Amino acid sequence: MEITRQYKYLIKPDKKQKEIIIRTFGAVRYVHNRFVEDARNKEFMRGRALSYVEKYRKESPFLRAVDGSALMNQIFQLQDNLGKPMRFKKRNDSYVSYSTGNLVKNPIRILGNNKIQLPHLGIVEMVYHRPIPEDAQIKKAAIIRNREGKYYVGITITYKVPDHNDKDLDFENSVGIDYSSPHFFVDDKGRMVDMPHFYLKEQGKLAKEIKKLQSMVKGSNNYYEQKRKIAALYGRVRDQRADYLHKLSSEMADKYDVICVEDLDMQGIAQGYSLGKRTYDNGYGTFIGMLEYKMKERGKLLLKADRYYPSSKTCHICGYIKKDLRLEDRTWICPQCGSVLDRDRNAAINIKKICIKTYEGRRVSGHYL
Ligand SMILES: [Zn+2]
């Protein structure tokens, strides 16, 4: 099986490289807007990205000096979005990323000593904190500038992982987990895992800095300085959270052969249950995404239960469905069999049961996941 992933690294372009990057951001924005204009004015054709680039380069010779692959990729991206009006708008803001391909003529290469070779930029300093898997193939690279003014490269790679083999998996060594607020999740053994709320912890600090910003003259040097400071605070919270989620997901992927989760609509939860910021902050969706590829890498299984399966309302002992279970009912007694059920643990047990049952059902009928 082949996995596609993006690895992101901090890069430190020198002055000249920064100029090239900024010029490319501008050129990509220009091409974006020209293409949108063309698409609005006449019937539009898919494909032929190269001929658009050539046409725009004829009109605006400054485009000749920048990475053609970045311009092509911008058109590819827009063509993917044809017919999606929300994403098909002109851009006024300065473009903060572009994507460039790994071509024979202009290759992307990770070099030793924290350096990377990038098309049109040459050799750029990079903080190579996490090696990409051996035998990985580099497909493309995105050059990104964030709100703090830091530069990153996002390298898209593909690599092969062993196909999982059911015979090698111990289905007894499985776990079901249920998203649980204000905790993070509860598993089918009743283990409760909390997520440190980094964002909430730093919220007081952030509020103070935002208030300061509001008292400043918009557009002044101090104002931009303060904006960068706030972006840095957000950035720190994001990094801490990602670290924590990486550790937790690796531990679980090492430990279990099969992990069962609910296929959640996180946005729905945030709206319907009005947990708002807390839900978004704790990154459960990100966590599931990490589990997904980490299990794949190990030749193991992540199974997802249908999001409409009533995992909380079903008694895991007898199967009775308590339709009027309320969100605030943390424990309930099954009217049919009399079991006392902990809401979250009961849900986790059900998720595990239904996932494995569904998987085995498909296996028997010959339809693998
Ligand atoms: Zn029951």
Side-chain angles (χ1 to χ4, degrees):
M1 192 193 309
E2 201 173 65
I3 294 186
T4 302
R5 278 185 60 203
Q6 200 190 58
Y7 278 61
K8 200 169 155 190
Y9 303 99
L10 184 71
I11 50 172
K12 295 171 178 169
D14 62 26
K15 201 172 157 230
K16 205 173 156 214
Q17 289 166 335
K18 268 186 201 167
E19 279 170 19
I20 299 170
I21 292 171
I22 289 166
R23 207 185 309 138
T24 313
F25 287 156
V28 163
R29 182 178 69 234
Y30 179 91
V31 164
H32 178 108
N33 288 341
R34 275 296 286 113
F35 187 88
V36 170
E37 223 174 83
D38 273 353
R40 279 182 187 164
N41 290 341
K42 53 183 179 245
E43 197 177 309
F44 219 76
M45 303 280 286
R46 287 182 180 275
R48 300 195 297 130
L50 182 63
S51 63
Y52 288 111
V53 170
E54 280 168 356
K55 180 181 152 196
Y56 300 150
R57 276 183 160 167
K58 222 169 268 171
E59 289 171 11
S60 312
F62 83 95
L63 296 176
R64 289 182 204 282
V66 302
D67 185 348
S69 168
L71 305 181
M72 293 273 283
N73 281 328
Q74 189 59 29
I75 290 177
F76 287 144
Q77 198 195 321
L78 280 164
Q79 284 175 332
D80 282 347
N81 290 333
L82 280 171
K84 293 181 203 160
M86 289 309 286
R87 289 199 186 166
F88 212 65
K89 284 195 298 211
K90 279 204 178 191
R91 314 256 332 198
N92 302 316
D93 51 332
S94 63
Y95 235 88
V96 289
S97 75
Y98 70 83
S99 172
T100 183
N102 186 13
L103 308 172
V104 181
K105 211 171 71 181
N106 269 319
I108 300 164
R109 274 197 209 113
I110 294 169
L111 311 168
N113 301 329
N114 286 319
K115 288 189 171 42
I116 183 167
Q117 183 184 342
L118 289 165
H120 287 254
L121 299 175
I123 292 167
V124 184
E125 256 189 76
M126 171 173 79
V127 182
Y128 193 50
H129 65 284
R130 202 156 52 105
I132 61 171
E134 267 179 64
D135 306 325
Q137 278 193 315
I138 297 174
K139 294 293 175 189
K140 58 182 180 180
I143 314 295
I144 303 147
R145 189 184 61 199
N146 75 2
R147 284 186 296 178
E148 285 171 67
K150 284 186 181 164
Y151 289 83
Y152 292 88
V153 61
I155 306 169
T156 302
I157 57 161
T158 59
Y159 58 103
K160 287 207 164 60
V161 295
D163 282 327
H164 93 270
N165 187 338
D166 285 346
K167 277 187 232 118
D168 298 335
L169 294 178
D170 177 6
F171 277 76
E172 295 292 310
N173 182 24
S174 61
V175 67
I177 65 176
D178 182 40
Y179 173 73
S180 163
S181 184
H183 307 286
F184 194 48
F185 68 74
V186 171
D187 76 12
D188 63 289
K189 282 106 191 152
R191 176 190 174 217
M192 202 144 66
V193 173
D194 276 290
M195 175 77 182
H197 282 278
F198 301 110
Y199 179 77
L200 295 183
K201 243 186 256 167
E202 304 253 355
Q203 204 176 24
K205 218 191 276 176
L206 264 170
K208 223 164 73 191
E209 299 298 339
I210 289 169
K211 212 170 164 195
K212 241 193 214 167
L213 179 77
Q214 284 161 346
S215 71
M216 288 175 173
V217 181
K218 247 188 191 172
S220 66
N221 281 345
N222 281 345
Y223 180 84
Y224 286 116
E225 195 49 50
Q226 184 65 11
K227 267 191 119 168
R228 262 196 291 280
K229 196 170 168 187
I230 290 167
L233 254 177
Y234 273 116
R236 199 158 66 226
V237 173
R238 256 196 323 269
D239 290 347
Q240 285 174 340
R241 184 172 61 187
D243 279 352
Y244 177 80
L245 293 179
H246 269 301
K247 272 186 204 123
L248 187 61
S249 55
S250 292
E251 262 172 39
M252 291 190 58
D254 284 338
K255 187 170 174 186
Y256 296 107
D257 279 10
V258 181
I259 297 178
C260 306
V261 300
E262 202 170 6
D263 190 6
L264 280 178
D265 171 6
M266 292 310 290
Q267 205 164 336
I269 285 192
Q271 285 161 0
Y273 294 24
S274 66
L275 303 166
K277 195 180 289 157
R278 215 172 249 272
T279 307
Y280 284 117
D281 178 46
N282 76 11
Y284 190 69
T286 310
F287 176 68
I288 299 297
M290 289 176 178
L291 279 180
E292 195 154 16
Y293 78 75
K294 287 180 186 187
M295 292 300 273
K296 265 189 198 164
E297 279 179 345
R298 290 162 175 76
K300 295 175 168 184
L301 271 181
L302 180 89
L303 301 177
K304 287 184 178 176
D306 189 305
R307 79 174 54 148
Y308 300 108
Y309 172 68
S311 56
S312 302
K313 294 178 178 174
T314 306
C315 166
H316 76 268
I317 305 280
C318 72
Y320 176 84
I321 296 174
K322 187 170 166 59
K323 286 201 176 109
D324 57 351
L325 188 74
R326 294 164 308 171
L327 190 64
E328 57 268 34
D329 298 333
R330 304 315 301 173
T331 56
W332 55 286
I333 297 167
C334 175
Q336 190 166 280
C337 73
S339 304
V340 181
L341 303 160
D342 171 84
R343 179 196 183 90
D344 293 327
R345 188 183 171 200
N346 177 58
I349 294 170
N350 282 325
I351 288 168
K352 177 171 147 177
K353 272 180 145 178
I354 193 79
C355 280
I356 291 179
K357 199 175 141 196
T358 307
Y359 183 76
E360 294 195 320
R362 286 188 194 172
R363 195 163 47 160
V364 168
S365 65
H367 298 290
Y368 283 86
L369 287 178

